[in-house]
Amino acid sequence: MEPLTIKTPADALSFIGHTLGFWPRESLVCITLVDNHVGATLRVDLPKPGAEISYAQTIARYLAHDAKAASVVFALYTSLPAETGHTRPHAATIAALTGALAERGMSIRDGLLVGDDTVSQYDGDPLGGPSLPLSSTQSSQINAEFVYRGSTIAPTNRITLPASTKETQTADAVEGCVKSMQSLNSRDAMDRARTLWTEMLDAKSFPADERIISLIAGLQFPTIRDQLMADIPGIDEPMDRVLLAQTHSKPHWSRVEWAEQVLLHAYTRSSTRHSAPILTAIAFINWWEGRGSKAHQFLQLALEADPGYHLARLSDQMIGRGIVAGWTMDRNTAYRNRGLEAS
């Protein structure tokens, strides 16, 4: 595959959109550079006033994981207007980031200010300097190449769940299966659930509803749920290291992608009271892939389904503290070199 060359602001914004998979809003996106080659891409929501220093230090810490990076290009997306004679939007944030990066031996090479309709140089004249309409990204060379490769950009990063059957006869079937599993000793119940899950992950098509009901039932048991989640990446290492994405081995990402599709399919067959573990497992997959904001959304949906669901609550607190999956910090293990999000 031929390398892509970013030459214009429109190219840069197209690259960001396709790398993240959506158009950012009220966000700061940073891209590390290694000998004029693009390294890691990080998107973070813009900070609240007064939090700029800690925010900048967190970003610098993330970017410093790209050990070979010497400089950074950023794009600041905001609806705040840029006015002549006034400081640029979120100037305190960029000033704090400049200092935090300098402490780690990195510098800012360039910056873009992306408004609702135009993009311009962050350090340029807000009104007199050159600006481009955002629509120019559609005709950029980078955008054309990504589209040719089958990439698309969603309008936002808001998730859209498939329709669920919710309160149907499926709930009774799941309860019956749960009772059947409770009659087994714990090892037999675990072995059956793992065998079923492995067969699903090795298959090429969605399983029959009877098998999906068994999967949903198994996920209702915390010990089985955790093991099935740890089985997703196909890595033979301790469960806690797999769940926290801190393994030495690289995940089998195609297997992870298929697991998410199977779980979404299971969600469409689940009732509300059985859906929290499914949504939590999907949240973990998104977190592993570097999509912190989507992981947060899935965890919130899990908590809507079951406000007392302990794993969802703990996981959401973890993501809220800015903890990112270890796999995303290494380009050799990261998911498809996608951009990293920190909620």
Side-chain angles (χ1 to χ4, degrees), residues 3-22:
L4 302 175
T5 302
I6 299 175
K7 297 180 179 179
T8 67
D11 284 340
L13 297 188
S14 294
F15 173 83
I16 289 171
H18 283 284
T19 300
L20 295 175
F22 64 92

Side-chain angles (χ1 to χ4, degrees), residues 132-193:
L132 292 172
L134 287 184
S135 58
S136 63
T137 59
Q138 298 175 8
S139 58
S140 75
Q141 184 64 38
I142 292 285
N143 185 62
E145 182 60 33
F146 270 111
V147 170
Y148 176 76
R149 297 179 183 184
S151 177
T152 59
I153 305 175
T156 72
N157 65 336
R158 301 300 300 176
I159 62 173
T160 302
L161 284 173
S164 171
T165 54
K166 295 299 181 186
E167 313 307 331
T168 67
Q169 67 273 17
T170 303
D172 294 333
V174 170
E175 287 298 323
C177 193
V178 167
K179 291 180 180 179
S180 177
M181 294 180 70
Q182 288 172 334
S183 68
L184 302 172
N185 66 60
S186 58
R187 175 166 299 200
D188 286 345
M190 177 69 78
D191 288 345
R192 291 188 185 186

Side-chain angles (χ1 to χ4, degrees), residues 62 83 113 126 136 138 155 158 214 242 247 250 261 263 306 339:
Y62 289 153
E83 301 176 357
L113 179 61
S136 63
Q138 298 175 8
R158 301 300 300 176
S214 295
V242 176
T247 62
K250 177 180 179 178
Q261 294 305 308
L263 288 166
D306 182 354

